[in-house]
Amino acid sequence: MNDEITALGQVLGRNIANRRKELALTQANLAERLGTDVVTISRFERGSNLPSLLRCQQIAEVLAMPLAQLLSESSSQLSDQALQLEQYISSLDGKDRAFLIDMVKAWCGHLKYDQH
């Protein structure tokens, strides 16, 4: 259980830090928007402290992202993995997305066939 908590903290922290940097925010900027201190943000990003569910929702709102996205890599749920794939392909144009979907279909067929 502790290993799962540690892994969750690391994924959550990495997702917070990556999104914060994408938005060109410092830890101090994020802390100010959340009404907390920089040390708390640093601990969240390092994964040494897990924020509460309410705090996760607040972080997601400040970072303008779905709450599920903060946790997406930590889950083995098919719907979470689908969300992660959606994030990867969302920046592609229609033609490239169609190409990628065709490739994924082909690979899935190949892998499914290989299992039998």
Side-chain angles (χ1 to χ4, degrees):
M1 181 74 156
N2 282 343
D3 290 343
E4 291 173 356
I5 291 171
T6 300
L8 174 63
Q10 290 172 347
V11 168
L12 179 61
R14 188 171 42 250
N15 289 343
I16 292 170
N18 289 342
R19 180 64 175 161
R20 176 182 58 77
K21 291 171 187 176
E22 285 175 9
L23 296 174
L25 295 173
T26 64
Q27 287 183 339
N29 298 140
L30 181 57
E32 181 179 335
R33 291 180 185 193
L34 291 168
T36 191
D37 54 57
V38 176
V39 173
T40 299
I41 300 301
S42 177
R43 288 178 180 156
F44 290 164
E45 290 187 359
R46 285 194 322 267
S48 62
N49 282 31
L50 280 175
S52 68
L53 187 55
L54 178 60
R55 181 58 86 181
C56 283
Q57 180 61 41
Q58 293 167 341
I59 293 168
E61 288 173 8
V62 168
L63 296 177
M65 63 191 302
L67 177 58
Q69 188 176 349
L70 277 179
L71 305 170
S72 64
E73 290 183 21
S74 65
S75 174
S76 61
Q77 295 291 320
L78 182 59
S79 59
D80 291 339
Q81 293 169 343
L83 177 63
Q84 189 176 4
L85 290 173
E86 179 184 359
Q87 293 165 12
Y88 294 151
I89 69 171
S90 65
S91 63
L92 301 176
D93 66 26
K95 182 179 175 184
D96 288 340
R97 277 196 312 272
F99 171 77
L100 184 57
I101 289 169
D102 287 343
M103 294 302 296
V104 169
K105 283 181 192 177
W107 272 102
C108 287
H110 172 76
L111 294 171
K112 187 175 179 180
Y113 179 77
D114 248 11
Q115 291 177 357
H116 297 298

